[in-house]
Amino acid sequence: MLATKIILLTGASRGIGRAIAKSLAANGATVILLSRSVPDLVSLYDEIVHAGYPQPSIYPFNLCSATLEDYDDLRRNIEKEYGRLDGLIHNAGILGDLSPIEHYNIQKWYQVLQVNLNGAFMLTQAAMSLLKKSPAANIIFTLNQISNQPKANWGAYAVANAGCQTMMQMLASECENLTNIKVNAVRLAKVQTSLRAQAYPAEDKSQLTKPEDVCQDYVELMSATKRHLNGAIVDVIAENLEILV
């Protein structure tokens, strides 16, 4: 479904990102694996290559501390190696504190917004010129249900999620006249990840959706089968899937 496509994936080394990377590669995509954890990226690279899928690229990158020059270097390196991007998937995220706003640690607040929201903005901006060179490009944001249902004590994580949802919808509107770029989101609930384990340490993990079970939605949004969608949110709730436009 994704043969010849070049896709940049953030948060690629673990959890949902790792599962998405393998699913994209299994469907023929060349994946640029972006994460701050080099050992995890190397092991993922080895898994993909040993499976006989297209050779990915590793790009160590810290969204929390990256400068504007780092983003520009990323753009230049991708352009030099591949000449374009066919897809960008925003998946990286950190939880931060579960704390009332009154007592929320200010440094932690900045860190969460930098990784989850500002990083998505700066990476999107840096990638736009590369995406415009693709005949059919896609940008996918990963959201949590908290973006639509804010709860007490979810702090910067909830704010960043809501911000990403708004950014996706604005960007989709801005790209309506750019017929080669589609912008959508996958909104997840109750997926077995380390981030969710931090938020719900006593939860029965056997009742959660596995990361591998949500990957098909990303593959389909990256493929020709969902090219009619722009500004859509694909809600993945356990085994049920509903598309909201």
Side-chain angles (χ1 to χ4, degrees):
M1 294 177 70
L2 303 178
T4 75
K5 286 193 175 290
I6 312 298
I7 300 173
L8 174 61
L9 169 65
T10 73
S13 62
R14 301 176 185 175
I16 295 171
R18 194 179 188 92
I20 293 171
K22 291 192 284 188
S23 186
L24 294 173
N27 280 275
T30 298
V31 189
I32 303 170
L33 308 169
L34 187 146
S35 174
R36 63 182 178 177
S37 175
V38 175
D40 289 334
L41 285 176
V42 171
S43 67
L44 174 58
Y45 174 94
D46 290 341
E47 284 185 44
I48 291 173
V49 170
H50 291 161
Y53 303 144
Q55 183 178 7
S57 292
I58 289 177
Y59 205 100
F61 199 87
N62 190 330
L63 290 166
C64 191
S65 60
T67 65
L68 292 177
E69 184 177 352
D70 293 328
Y71 284 95
D72 199 40
D73 286 343
L74 172 60
R75 178 192 57 77
R76 286 198 301 264
N77 287 328
I78 293 174
E79 187 167 27
K80 180 180 179 181
E81 183 70 22
Y82 298 108
R84 72 179 197 281
L85 268 181
D86 301 301
L88 169 61
I89 299 178
H90 295 295
N91 171 72
I94 58 176
L95 179 63
D97 294 336
L98 294 180
S99 168
I101 288 177
E102 180 183 4
H103 304 296
Y104 205 99
N105 180 278
I106 293 176
Q107 183 179 5
K108 184 69 70 174
W109 181 278
Y110 273 93
Q111 289 174 345
V112 174
L113 290 181
Q114 189 66 18
V115 173
N116 298 12
L117 180 60
N118 297 337
F121 158 68
M122 289 187 284
L123 189 56
T124 299
Q125 190 176 75
M128 284 299 290
S129 63
L130 299 172
L131 292 163
K132 287 179 178 179
K133 295 181 179 182
S134 169
N138 294 278
I139 302 173
I140 303 176
F141 287 78
T142 300
L143 304 176
N144 184 284
Q145 277 195 316
I146 201 74
S147 66
N148 235 28
Q149 302 169 352
K151 299 177 182 178
N153 302 327
W154 278 80
Y157 181 80
V159 170
N161 255 269
C164 280
Q165 180 169 321
T166 299
M167 179 162 50
M168 181 278 290
Q169 292 166 332
M170 285 195 302
L171 185 60
S173 295
E174 292 168 6
C175 289
E176 279 187 4
N177 295 325
L178 300 174
T179 55
N180 69 312
I181 300 179
K182 303 294 185 181
V183 186
N184 298 288
V186 175
R187 187 161 55 199
L188 304 173
K190 297 185 177 181
V191 181
Q192 190 179 108
T193 63
S194 59
L195 189 150
R196 185 170 179 88
Q198 292 176 49
Y200 301 99
E203 188 174 49
D204 182 1
K205 295 179 178 57
S206 67
Q207 301 301 309
L208 302 177
T209 302
K210 295 189 181 302
E212 293 77 13
D213 295 333
V214 304
C215 296
Q216 188 62 25
D217 302 303
Y218 290 89
V219 171
E220 290 183 0
L221 284 174
M222 278 288 162
S223 73
T225 62
K226 302 291 186 182
R227 285 299 293 176
H228 61 287
L229 294 178
N230 186 51
I233 297 174
V234 177
D235 268 317
V236 182
I237 305 173
E239 298 300 321
N240 304 315
L241 181 151
E242 178 185 0
I243 295 180
L244 308 175
V245 180

